[in-house]
Amino acid sequence: MFEEIVSRLSEVKIVPVVTVFDKDEAVKLAHSLVNRGYSAVEFAFRSASSAEEDFNKIAACIEAVRKLCPKMLCGAGTVINPKLAQLAKNSGAQFAMAPGFNPATVEWCIKNNLAIFPGVNNPSQIEEALMFGLDVLKFFPAEVSGGVKMLKALGGPFPGVRFIPTGGIDAANADDYLACKNVIAVGGSWITSVK
């Protein structure tokens, strides 16, 4: 399962990151993205209030897109604890992205067969991820953590680790990230702000 998700992300290259609370809007957005050539999306569990009600609405968006836009590889983002990981899994999310490395969240996802890409931005976090058997990681926040230069530097001691950078990536620098041999895809919200 994990390898299949990695393979699909490697093919799509760009993963739009969105925050939507209305399932009809989410389905419309997913179809629009597919029509524009994107076949993956990350629905971020983000809310100004971090209210459970908002997270449930986002989960409903994931569920609706999975049912009504089957061509779309659908993930959950900002999965910062096992509770959100479970909500993501129950909604039908095919993968989870986390901004940081929370061992409890990673362990839950592995145990429950949900592909997880925890966020890292330094060698110690990468070593911890490797201890869990993870070698494809989110690099976050990419730009303020050294960007392309940091990714190239990490390639030396960690030649088998691949990354999905997010954070500060946009149309102007996405290609620079994708040119890195240890990057399989990039994520960002700039896609949905361009009509």
Side-chain angles (χ1 to χ4, degrees), residues 69-111:
C69 191
K71 292 180 180 179
M72 184 63 77
L73 179 65
C74 196
T78 321
V79 178
I80 61 172
N81 56 50
K83 186 175 181 180
L84 285 176
Q86 184 169 11
L87 185 60
K89 175 80 173 177
N90 292 347
S91 72
Q94 294 160 285
F95 64 91
M97 295 273 193
F101 192 97
N102 179 337
T105 303
V106 169
E107 196 171 328
W108 190 95
C109 290
I110 291 171
K111 183 178 176 183

Side-chain angles (χ1 to χ4, degrees), residues 36-53:
R36 291 166 55 204
Y38 299 98
S39 56
V41 65
E42 174 189 332
F43 287 95
F45 282 121
R46 289 187 197 154
S47 160
S49 63
S50 294
E52 188 172 336
E53 179 185 352

Side-chain angles (χ1 to χ4, degrees), residues 50-69:
S50 294
E52 188 172 336
E53 179 185 352
D54 286 343
F55 294 149
N56 288 333
K57 287 178 182 177
I58 295 165
C61 291
I62 294 170
E63 187 174 357
V65 170
R66 288 280 289 145
K67 287 180 182 173
L68 300 173
C69 191

